[in-house]
Amino acid sequence: MSVLEQAPRFDAAGAERLARDLYGLEAAASPLPGERDQNFLLTTVRGERFVLKIANPAEPLALLEAQNAALARLEPLGICPRVVPTPGGEAIAGADGYRVRLLTWIHGAPLGAVARRPRHLLEEVGRRLGQLSAALDGFDHPALHRRFPWDLQRGFDVVARHSPLVADPALRELVRRVAGYVRARDGRRLARLRRSAVHNDANDYNVLVDPSDDGSVTGILDLGDIVHSYVVAEPAIAVAYAVLDDAEPLEAAAAVVRGFHAMRPLGDDELSVLFGLVLLRLCVSVCMAAAQLRERPGDEYLAISQAPIRRTLPALASIPPDVAEDTLRRACGLDPRFAEPSVAADVTRVRRAERIGPNLSLAYADPVKVTRGWMQYLFDETGRRYLDAYNNVPHVGHAHPRVVAAAAEQMRRVNTNTRYLHDALWRLAEALCATLPEPLRVCYFVNSGSEANELALRIARAVTGRRDVIVLDAAYHGNTTTLIDISPYKFNGPGGDGAPDWVHVAPLPDDYRGPFVRADPAAGRSYGHAVGRLIEAMAERRRQPGAFICETCPSVGGQIVPPPGYLETAYRHVRAAGGVCIADEVQTALGRMGDGFYAFESQGVVPDIVVLGKPLGNGYPLAAVVTTRALAHAFDTGMEFFSTFGGSTVSCAAGLAVLEVVRDEALQAHALRMGARLLADLRPFTARHELVGDVRGRGLFLGIELVRDRATLVPAAREAAVVVNRLRDRGILLGTDGPFHNVLKIRPPMPFADHDADRLVEELDDALGRVAR
Ligand code: PMP
């Protein structure tokens, strides 16, 4: 069967003749779009308008009768055209072997031509469609039980049959994969769904809206695709078109479904498969277009209509179906899908306390039990969604499907260690080195930031033969014995033993709280010279630095961005004294700062050793040390370096996927823009809230320092905790940091978006306004 029946070929004069001969109408005709039928707008001399429809000869008479019967049933809704009979009373007239109908004209602009589609308009589309669906409840006609490729009951067959015709191999693969996934997840549930007559084509050119106000739907047109099928196909098809090119497709889908559900309630199973049917409809559209294109090669209209689907389908396909289901359920006011009532959060807490060491802490007065993550969101056991403005480990987003797929696929094949040849290892090393300047060209992979810092210290010791280390005040570098020894945040904190004699603490280059402030153009160099003075003082005690280790932007130290010139000066002093410069970029790497892939880039230095951790595996344990060939050779002392899990094939696959996503989703540029807009929104807080002493940072690495008194800078730690707990209660996750625990830390997964920023700023503003001092 041809997918594209030959449409009738009347010209305007022919249409005018039909109008005169059959309906006694003196009218001017102009062609309207139509795929199978031929349609004309008729305008009479009195200015009345009608639509003349000349049916495709392949369309059975019974189907036209069914459409007319459906239109009669929908008439009370006032949004569908009415059939105008001939003066002789015929609803379907015949002429020249064609079947002709006259319909009333409905004013309005196609939704597809409206530039702005506010959510309330989409909700109204859903409501109107829900009314239409309710009106068709119980309506039936033998002609509706037809074999029709646009019927979603046949969707998988259509994809199987026509997807080989999709020219673009990436799109072809995607369509097959998506359809296969929908079938695997939803196939059995689909078989049980309730069915009815459905309009089956509420695409954005069949929905008319009032162009003069952006809230009302004036028409739902074209019953040409009417078929007996899944009731839920109705909203699914509307959603499939409403989400195209929408930056927030789930929100757009939720609006349509909310409206539909209000008028025609959907069941659990229907809501469960709805998003899958959205994907299936788009897959069918791609496949049908490919098939039609084969019959009408070079038909640009067919190709152009596919462009938004190509743009949107990959993003839609990467939304976990249960996240979509959850969003749609909540849009309908139903229980969330992620609810896990079997183990309540307080039970989890008790069981954990029984078997887990007591010095593991929990965030928030009311700790969050997480059951799912998706990009910049976390979900708790009740299905509540939290905006994650804190976690930088899921760098490219919680559960990013590309990282998940890469790691799972590699896990299925083999996961082994670096004593065997495997291409993932060198590929990751190459990809990483490509992001770093010369001469940082040799990589070691380990499992944690701590292991990486340990290794960096070992390399520095092997190279210099010295043990002494210079660290920054308030720094944290990891949880091993040696790293606690070089972390003032720990050895000077509760339970700490103070600095060992081989550890030397340089001042934190904090240009808000420290002796040299932001307004001082020499502040960076002054902090750098402090390192030089420390080295002089060490020399007096006959000690020489083996290494200077510092976070380029101290995070635990309070989201500090050192003033310009700091590292340049400090590194100069360290190198002059024969020390190795280690940059701990565990918190700041991979584009987070926006202006560079690494934070050290903005300080105009190249470290001797770079340490990477947290974001590198997007949560899969993966950390790295990158150094120069010279240092790597010096470290090759004859003692093997081996880490059982470090550089495992799966971790390398995950790391590669992370680097690819950062590049492909342009996340560094995104962080730069998002940071600038957040700072622009947050800086005025210093004027609005007395408590806010400083707003600082760059990219998606920001800090808000709270003080009780702007003159003495007395830290407002209790207030910071109150704010963070309030935000947690409001569904936003933040943390505090800094030596006085008074800095609000904003460091979200990189997909953090504009609407997230709006929410964060608004809630922060509110929380800061409420906190009593
Ligand atoms: N360095 C820095 C700067 C860190 O923030 C951390 C962890 N917070 C580490 C090292 C240690 O990393 P891990 O916890 O993966 O061992």
Side-chain angles (χ1 to χ4, degrees):
M1 186 188 82
S2 166
V3 288
L4 206 66
E5 311 293 351
Q6 193 63 54
R9 287 189 184 150
F10 283 78
D11 58 10
E16 287 165 5
R17 189 165 42 74
L18 288 178
R20 193 180 313 117
D21 294 353
L22 298 173
Y23 295 94
L25 278 182
E26 287 298 334
S30 58
L32 293 169
E35 190 188 79
R36 283 188 300 272
D37 297 346
Q38 208 186 2
N39 301 325
F40 289 92
L41 164 63
L42 298 179
T43 310
T44 68
V45 283
R46 294 220 315 270
E48 286 175 304
R49 293 196 280 188
F50 298 92
V51 176
L52 188 76
K53 287 180 84 70
I54 308 164
N56 192 305
E59 217 80 296
L61 175 62
L63 186 62
L64 300 186
E65 289 170 347
Q67 289 178 27
N68 282 1
L71 285 173
R73 185 155 176 139
L74 296 172
E75 199 180 321
L77 299 183
I79 51 165
C80 294
R82 198 164 42 76
V83 179
V84 183
T86 64
E90 290 173 305
I92 302 172
D96 304 341
Y98 288 96
R99 296 193 175 101
V100 180
R101 285 177 297 160
L102 188 67
L103 302 182
T104 52
W105 172 261
I106 293 182
H107 83 96
L111 181 62
V114 177
R116 236 174 46 82
R117 296 179 189 188
R119 298 296 183 242
H120 66 89
L121 178 59
L122 293 181
E123 191 170 333
E124 180 64 9
V125 170
R127 253 193 306 273
R128 291 307 210 154
L129 198 60
Q131 287 175 336
L132 180 148
S133 174
L136 287 179
D137 187 21
F139 173 78
D140 205 352
H141 190 286
L144 303 185
H145 298 258
R146 55 178 171 145
R147 276 172 70 87
F148 182 49
W150 291 98
D151 174 2
L152 282 177
Q153 294 177 104
R154 300 180 42 79
F156 300 120
D157 299 339
V158 169
V159 173
R161 181 165 167 173
H162 295 310
S163 61
L165 304 173
V166 177
D168 172 358
L171 186 60
R172 186 167 65 229
E173 282 311 309
L174 180 67
V175 159
R176 285 181 178 162
R177 194 162 52 76
V178 168
Y181 191 58
V182 174
R183 180 176 217 157
R185 179 183 185 268
D186 298 334
R188 293 175 71 181
R189 255 179 302 225
L190 287 171
R192 295 194 304 262
L193 292 183
R194 81 179 148 153
R195 292 163 167 80
S196 168
V198 289
H199 173 287
N200 200 46
D201 196 18
N203 78 57
D204 47 2
Y205 280 85
N206 282 341
V207 175
L208 299 183
V209 298
D210 187 339
S212 63
D213 84 45
D214 63 3
S216 64
V217 172
T218 58
I220 297 181
L221 306 179
D222 192 0
L223 275 128
D225 284 6
I226 189 168
V227 68
H228 192 270
S229 187
Y230 312 125
V231 171
V232 68
E234 205 79 282
I237 290 165
V239 167
Y241 295 91
V243 298
L244 293 180
D245 284 335
D246 195 302
E248 286 298 329
L250 270 188
E251 304 298 322
V256 175
V257 174
R258 185 184 304 120
F260 189 93
H261 183 78
M263 295 297 154
R264 172 85 146 143
L266 293 163
D268 288 345
D269 267 5
E270 289 174 318
L271 283 163
S272 176
V273 301
L274 201 159
F275 191 70
L277 289 178
V278 170
L279 295 173
L280 184 59
R281 168 67 181 215
L282 293 173
C283 292
V284 165
S285 175
V286 169
C287 294
M288 288 296 287
Q292 291 168 343
L293 209 55
R294 194 175 55 159
E295 289 176 26
R296 283 202 307 228
D299 186 328
E300 280 178 29
Y301 179 77
L302 290 176
I304 286 171
S305 68
Q306 290 295 302
I309 299 182
R310 270 166 199 265
R311 286 192 293 265
T312 312
L313 188 56
L316 293 177
S318 63
I319 296 173
D322 47 356
V323 170
E325 182 181 348
D326 178 72
T327 305
L328 299 184
R329 287 185 68 86
R330 283 184 299 128
C332 297
L334 299 172
D335 297 341
R337 172 109 196 316
F338 297 147
E340 281 185 9
S342 54
V343 184
D346 47 356
V347 176
T348 303
R349 197 171 171 180
V350 170
R351 302 303 281 269
R352 166 181 156 127
E354 281 168 6
R355 289 282 171 263
I356 302 297
N359 55 349
L360 272 78
S361 72
L362 279 164
Y364 312 114
D366 181 11
V368 181
K369 177 171 179 180
V370 292
T371 54
R372 286 297 305 258
W374 177 249
M375 297 297 148
Q376 63 275 38
Y377 305 108
L378 286 170
F379 300 83
D380 73 11
E381 81 288 4
T382 69
R384 182 172 186 205
R385 194 173 84 169
Y386 297 82
L387 173 61
D388 184 354
Y390 179 74
N391 286 292
N392 61 344
V393 174
H395 188 69
V396 299
H398 291 280
H400 193 291
R402 275 180 76 180
V403 183
V404 172
E409 177 58 24
Q410 188 56 51
M411 185 81 111
R412 259 185 325 116
R413 291 172 192 221
V414 68
N415 189 18
T416 186
N417 64 63
T418 52
R419 289 204 182 111
Y420 301 99
L421 287 174
H422 194 285
D423 293 324
L425 181 68
W426 65 262
R427 285 212 168 100
L428 175 60
E430 262 188 14
L432 204 52
C433 287
T435 67
L436 283 157
E438 290 279 5
L440 295 165
R441 287 294 173 263
V442 182
C443 303
Y444 301 83
F445 295 109
V446 288
N447 312 295
S448 66
S450 298
E451 260 193 277
N453 276 327
E454 277 284 346
L455 178 58
L457 291 182
R458 274 183 67 195
I459 294 173
R461 280 183 192 172
V463 169
T464 62
R466 301 176 187 165
R467 187 159 188 236
D468 286 46
V469 176
I470 298 174
V471 300
L472 294 190
D473 201 4
Y476 175 70
H477 292 292
N479 60 34
T480 66
T481 309
T482 310
L483 296 176
I484 298 297
D485 278 348
I486 68 158
S487 296
Y489 180 76
K490 291 288 182 189
F491 66 62
N492 282 337
D497 293 334
D501 61 356
W502 52 275
V503 175
H504 311 274
V505 180
L508 195 57
D510 177 348
D511 61 5
Y512 172 66
R513 194 170 269 285
F516 310 107
V517 293
R518 209 163 296 159
D520 170 4
R525 273 172 282 137
S526 301
Y527 284 115
H529 289 312
V531 175
R533 282 197 298 281
L534 183 65
I535 292 172
E536 285 167 19
M538 286 166 65
E540 284 168 19
R541 289 186 287 135
R542 298 184 180 283
R543 305 201 79 116
Q544 290 179 305
F548 168 63
I549 180 167
C550 94
E551 276 188 278
T552 313
C553 294
S555 181
V556 169
Q559 302 291 90
I560 309 284
V561 176
Y566 172 63
L567 277 190
E568 214 183 311
T569 311
Y571 277 16
R572 192 151 34 79
H573 287 295
V574 173
R575 284 172 172 155
V580 165
C581 296
I582 304 172
D584 182 337
E585 291 260 354
V586 164
Q587 299 266 3
T588 44
L590 272 54
R592 174 162 297 277
M593 308 303 294
D595 55 357
F597 205 75
Y598 299 94
F600 67 75
E601 289 169 45
S602 66
Q603 286 276 327
V605 294
V606 177
D608 303 307
I609 303 177
V610 174
V611 170
L612 305 175
K614 294 182 187 290
L616 197 53
N618 211 52
Y620 196 93
L622 174 64
V625 172
V626 189
T627 188
T628 66
R629 286 191 197 289
L631 265 67
H633 281 302
F635 179 53
D636 186 11
T637 57
M639 184 189 288
E640 181 196 14
F641 175 75
F642 180 66
S643 161
T644 301
F645 299 124
S648 75
T649 14
V650 172
S651 65
C652 291
L656 262 172
V658 170
L659 292 178
E660 283 167 15
V661 173
V662 171
R663 178 197 62 203
D664 293 352
E665 297 185 5
L667 292 177
Q668 182 184 327
H670 175 70
L672 182 68
R673 186 180 69 79
M674 200 52 56
R677 71 146 286 185
L678 273 169
L679 280 176
D681 288 346
L682 294 173
R683 280 207 173 107
F685 280 17
T686 50
R688 250 208 317 287
H689 303 285
E690 241 189 289
L691 205 54
V692 176
D694 191 30
V695 175
R696 58 179 174 251
R698 246 187 357 242
L700 288 174
F701 181 91
L702 305 173
I704 302 175
E705 179 150 1
L706 305 189
V707 292
R708 292 206 181 130
D709 180 332
R710 290 193 180 182
T712 59
L713 306 189
V714 172
R718 191 188 60 77
E719 293 82 348
V722 169
V723 168
V724 161
N725 277 305
R726 168 152 179 99
L727 259 75
R728 175 255 177 263
D729 293 341
R730 303 284 300 158
I732 298 178
L733 306 183
L734 279 185
T736 56
D737 233 324
F740 311 106
H741 310 284
N742 66 325
V743 180
L744 303 175
K745 189 161 172 172
I746 302 174
R747 195 193 51 178
M750 298 278 272
F752 192 88
D754 283 290
H755 57 96
D756 302 318
D758 291 340
R759 236 194 104 206
L760 173 64
V761 170
E762 191 184 316
E763 291 287 354
L764 255 179
D765 201 8
D766 181 67
L768 286 164
R770 282 163 190 270
V771 61
R773 284 198 284 142

